[in-house]
Amino acid sequence: MIRILLADDQELVRAGLRALAERDGDISVVGEAEDGRAAVELSRMLRPDVVLMDLRMPVMGGVEATRRIAGAGSGQGEASGSCEAAAPRVLVLTTFDDDDDVFAALRSGAAGYLLKDVSPADLRRAIRTVAAGEALLDPAVTARVMRAAAGRGGSSEPLPAELTEREAEVLALVGRGLSNEEIARELYLSPATARTYVSRLLAKLGARDRAALIVLAYETGAVRPGEG
């Protein structure tokens, strides 16, 4: 059973999300928070697998709440597969006018994001994906978010010297939002080899998951808005 916490300041939205999330029987809502501070406190108390996080909330916004929740444990990214002392995974709920806030949430440790008009089936699929330790980035808004990030001015630090040329290529493709299978086709690799490269990048760059790699790809200039 996947245990989730809902964080949204609108009671009606929370009720709708609960009904949609629990429909198949493998997801259980263990708590609801009406603001970011309550989300942080309930996350510590209940230790859910996933926190479904709104960004615009009173008292404490979703970005700061994400930073506090995602930083509460070691994470469980693709590289290690370990769940020891793992923090709950944060899945951001966003609208198309949240580009800057979504990027800030990703930098703060969010495992991914999806649009608030997501279909019921895709909502449940997203929760399962994030609970399994993978990142979930809605392709409909990834490019917009990263354009917003570039417009704000990212880090000027170059890619770490220890990255091989192939690893740098894979990082650029991850930054463009490609899956392991798509990276494999692009570089004429097997899907297993592509996944190995992604795992190496996570370890070398100290990134918790694919979402963090995408942020790093844009901040280091490995990929630029509009490429791909």
Side-chain angles (χ1 to χ4, degrees):
M1 181 70 70
I2 300 173
R3 303 169 69 254
I4 70 170
L5 171 68
L6 302 178
D8 194 291
D9 61 337
Q10 298 184 42
E11 183 177 0
L12 185 61
V13 172
R14 296 197 307 272
L17 289 172
R18 175 186 285 270
L20 294 175
E22 296 184 330
R23 182 173 298 175
D24 291 345
D26 63 330
I27 298 170
S28 175
V29 176
V30 297
E32 298 183 17
E34 62 184 12
D35 60 63
R37 181 176 298 171
V40 173
E41 293 172 352
L42 285 174
S43 179
R44 290 171 179 164
M45 291 173 53
L46 301 173
R47 302 301 296 177
D49 301 304
V50 177
V51 178
L52 210 55
M53 180 75 73
D54 186 22
L55 290 179
R56 309 287 177 85
M57 292 184 292
V59 184
M60 179 188 293
V63 173
E64 177 61 18
T66 295
R67 186 186 67 80
R68 298 191 185 193
I69 292 171
S74 62
Q76 52 180 342
E78 291 179 59
S80 66
S82 171
C83 296
E84 183 180 357
R89 307 271 290 173
V90 178
L91 180 59
V92 169
L93 290 170
T94 182
T95 59
F96 269 117
D97 61 354
D98 285 339
D99 293 355
D100 288 337
D101 286 342
V102 172
F103 180 71
L106 289 175
R107 292 192 66 183
S108 297
Y113 53 83
L114 69 162
L115 295 172
K116 281 193 170 181
D117 62 358
V118 64
S119 71
D122 284 343
L123 172 65
R124 293 188 290 273
R125 188 177 301 113
I127 292 170
R128 295 182 188 113
T129 296
V130 169
E134 299 179 22
L136 190 288
L137 305 172
D138 191 314
V141 291
T142 296
R144 288 188 50 160
V145 170
M146 295 311 163
R147 278 196 294 271
R152 294 170 59 189
S155 168
S156 59
E157 294 184 8
L159 285 172
E162 63 266 25
L163 290 190
T164 66
E165 183 177 349
R166 177 63 85 186
E167 287 168 345
E169 289 177 330
V170 172
L171 179 61
L173 294 176
V174 170
R176 284 168 45 191
L178 274 64
S179 67
N180 289 341
E181 291 73 18
E182 290 168 333
I183 291 172
R185 288 196 296 270
E186 183 84 9
L187 298 179
Y188 302 99
L189 304 171
S190 71
T193 300
R195 182 176 180 85
T196 296
Y197 275 116
V198 172
S199 295
R200 288 177 185 170
L201 286 170
L202 290 166
K204 285 188 174 183
L205 298 175
R208 76 181 68 217
D209 56 28
R210 206 178 194 90
L213 285 182
I214 289 181
V215 172
L216 285 169
Y218 277 81
E219 288 192 322
T220 60
V223 64
R224 302 182 185 281
E227 290 185 353

